[in-house]
Amino acid sequence: MTTTRTAVITGANTGLGFECARALLHSDPSWHVLLAVRDTGRGMAAAAALGHPERTAVAELDLASLCSVDQFACTITQLDVPPVHALVCNAGVQLVSGSHTTRDGYEMTFGVNHLGHFALVRRLLGQLVAPARIVVVSSGTHDPDKYTGMPAPRYTSAEELSTPEVSEYSAEEGRRRYTTSKLCNVLFSYELDRRLGHGAEGITVNAFDPGMMPGSGLARDYPPAQRLAWRFVLPLLRVLPGVRSTRRSGADLAALVADPRYDGVTGAYFAGARQIRSSRDSYDESMAADLWRVSDRLVSTSG
C-alpha cells in the first residue's frame, strides 16, 4: 500500500517519540513518519530499528536554534514524502545542572520545550493538509494539584521565562522551569486551538500527558545516582498510577495522531488514553495570550 500522509515527530530517535513512530507505522500502512531529530546519525539508527525503511525519513531539527527550525521547514518541502497531516511536538529537556541558553540566547528549557515548538508549528501550519492533527506533549507535572514529586510551575510572564538566569540556579529551580514549560505546552495548545477556530479549519490541537516514563531520557542531566534510579528502580513501579512504559504511552500518543475515534476532538487534554481536565492555570486565557504574544515576538525577532 502506498503511503498517503506524513506525521512529523520531534525527538523521535528515542523514548516516547520513537515508540509513537513505531506504533504509528505498525497500526496503519498509509502513514509515513518523518523523524525530526537533533542528531541525524542517531535518527538514521532509529529509522533502521523501526524496520520500515520505505515509510520513514529523517531530517535535522535542533529546537534550541530558531534558524534550524526554519531550515527544517524548508527541508520538508524538498523531501519525497506524502503531504503532512500530523505534527507531534514531543522533544523536551529537563536541566538541573545550572543555567543554559539556546543559540538565540533564550533560557534553554523554555526555548526547547516551548519556543522551538511554537516556531515549528508556526512555520509548518501552511504545509499541513486538512484533516490534520497537532499533538503537543505536556506532563502531569504542570498541575500543582497532583502530587508528582516535582515543584509546582511558576508562570510569571513569558518575557521572564525566556530570560536566562544571570547566575547558576539550583536543581530545584531547574525542575521548576521544566514544570513551568509543561504548563506553557498546554497554554499554547489551547490558544492555538482557539486561533484555528476549534477545528473549523480542519486542524485539531490536543495536549498529551504520557505519565512518568522511566527510561525516557529526561533524567540525562540528573546526578549519576538519580539517573540509575530512573533507569533501574522506577521501572519496577509501573504498577502505580501515572507510571507507564514508553511503549504504552507511545501507543496512546500514536492513537491521538491517527485513530478515527479522535476525529474532530480538539482543545482537549489527555492523560494516556483518557481525556481529563488539565490544571486550573492552563485555562487562563490572559496567560495564554501573554505567552503567544511574547513567543510570536521572540520568533519574529530571531527570524
Side-chain angles (χ1 to χ4, degrees):
M1 179 178 179
T2 305
T3 56
T4 57
R5 45 194 176 165
T6 293
V8 176
I9 307 174
T10 69
N13 63 296
T14 188
L16 178 65
F18 178 83
E19 293 299 342
C20 174
R22 185 210 299 271
L24 196 55
L25 289 167
H26 178 74
S27 67
D28 189 337
S30 71
W31 281 99
H32 193 102
V33 172
L34 175 57
L35 312 183
V37 297
R38 187 177 56 172
D39 184 328
T40 53
R42 291 183 179 181
M44 294 299 291
L50 288 169
H52 294 276
E54 75 290 352
R55 295 171 53 207
T56 54
V58 177
E60 182 178 351
L61 171 64
D62 182 358
L63 290 163
S65 165
L66 295 175
C67 178
S68 176
V69 173
D70 285 341
Q71 291 173 345
F72 175 81
C74 292
T75 297
I76 293 184
T77 62
Q78 300 164 11
L79 293 174
D80 183 20
V81 297
V84 179
H85 283 265
L87 172 57
V88 181
C89 299
N90 160 72
V93 296
Q94 185 178 154
L95 302 171
V96 298
S97 61
S99 182
H100 302 266
T101 59
T102 67
R103 294 187 187 180
D104 305 283
Y106 304 123
E107 195 281 321
M108 180 69 83
T109 305
F110 177 85
V112 170
N113 294 1
H114 165 68
L115 192 62
H117 280 122
F118 177 91
L120 180 65
V121 169
R122 198 177 81 154
R123 289 288 275 107
L124 293 188
L125 271 179
Q127 297 183 38
L128 286 178
V129 176
R133 299 182 187 181
I134 297 173
V135 185
V136 182
V137 176
S138 179
S139 163
T141 63
H142 89 280
D143 189 347
D145 290 336
K146 294 181 178 177
Y147 177 74
T148 62
M150 294 284 280
R154 185 184 296 138
Y155 189 102
T156 48
S157 70
E159 191 71 49
E160 185 173 327
L161 292 175
S162 70
T163 306
E165 297 284 337
V166 225
S167 56
E168 296 289 299
Y169 54 69
S170 66
E172 178 79 353
E173 182 56 28
R175 286 187 282 270
R176 191 183 304 281
R177 284 186 175 271
Y178 173 77
T179 62
T180 305
S181 74
K182 296 289 102 180
L183 171 59
C184 290
N185 290 152
V186 189
L187 288 167
F188 167 54
S189 297
Y190 293 164
E191 181 65 15
L192 177 61
D193 178 56
R194 281 189 287 270
R195 289 171 180 261
L196 292 176
H198 304 292
E201 297 184 25
I203 302 174
T204 61
V205 188
N206 293 297
F208 175 74
D209 167 22
M212 182 183 291
M213 299 178 299
S216 65
L218 272 178
R220 56 184 172 267
D221 195 47
Y222 279 28
Q226 292 182 31
R227 287 202 306 271
L228 283 174
W230 186 263
R231 184 176 178 185
F232 296 110
V233 178
L234 285 178
L236 303 177
L237 304 179
R238 285 179 188 154
V239 292
L240 299 177
V243 180
R244 305 186 187 103
S245 69
T246 51
R247 179 164 290 203
R248 176 184 167 190
S249 291
D252 288 338
L253 180 54
L256 277 180
V257 171
D259 197 305
R261 73 178 182 270
Y262 297 115
D263 285 349
V265 177
T266 191
Y269 179 86
F270 288 85
R274 286 189 312 120
Q275 183 176 339
I276 64 170
R277 293 277 296 177
S278 50
S279 72
R280 284 173 291 179
D281 279 352
S282 68
Y283 296 102
D284 188 321
E285 294 191 19
S286 62
M287 207 178 281
D290 169 73
L291 179 64
W292 187 284
R293 181 177 60 254
V294 173
S295 300
D296 190 57
R297 178 175 56 76
L298 296 179
V299 168
S300 301
T301 302
S302 299

